[in-house]
Amino acid sequence: MTKRFDVATAPGHLIRRAQQIAVSIFAEQLAAFGITPVQFAIMNALRDTPDIDQITLAKRVAFDPATSGSVIGRLEVKGWVARQSHPSDRRRKLLVVTPQGLMALEGMQAAVAAVQTHILSPLSPLEQTHFVDLLAKLVQGHESP
């Protein structure tokens, strides 16, 4: 008889649970802004790299390009993101954060920082550093060719 697989200690399960917890904390802390973690990542990337196309942006934030269109559409409805035609290719749309979006991002900074602190709060400062380093190594190891 084979040993029962313990899902509760499986890395995949623990990563999924940690992600659920992180999203829940983010949603709670940023409820007043009505923004999701993916929307925040997109806004942050656009602020740092204006005039970027949707496919390049999706790659930058590690998000599905097909789904990113609906996320960007919701940010447009809020007035936080705008699409502009490419100067030499009118079919290609470039994305920018609007002045309203920049103000919203600025207003979110303290709450987003508090979310990160809350997520890591069960760990000691040394454990927090190690945990983030190991997560970064795990992600980089799977993203590298």
Side-chain angles (χ1 to χ4, degrees), residues 115-129:
V115 166
Q116 308 317 302
T117 300
H118 189 148
I119 289 168
L120 295 173
S121 65
L123 305 175
S124 72
L126 183 60
E127 289 171 327
Q128 290 176 17
T129 300

Side-chain angles (χ1 to χ4, degrees), residues 61-138:
V61 297
F63 196 65
D64 174 48
T67 311
S68 68
S70 62
V71 174
I72 292 164
R74 287 190 287 282
L75 292 170
E76 279 184 296
V77 168
K78 292 179 184 224
W80 292 353
V81 170
R83 296 178 203 250
Q84 301 172 344
S85 293
H86 188 278
S88 61
D89 182 356
R90 305 215 34 91
R91 295 170 295 168
R92 189 169 166 219
K93 299 295 182 195
L94 303 178
L95 303 165
V96 295
V97 178
T98 65
Q100 282 178 288
L102 290 172
M103 286 177 49
L105 269 175
E106 185 62 33
M108 293 176 211
Q109 295 304 310
V112 171
V115 166
Q116 308 317 302
T117 300
H118 189 148
I119 289 168
L120 295 173
S121 65
L123 305 175
S124 72
L126 183 60
E127 289 171 327
Q128 290 176 17
T129 300
H130 289 310
F131 179 71
V132 172
D133 289 346
L134 287 171
L135 277 177
K137 183 176 182 178
L138 180 78

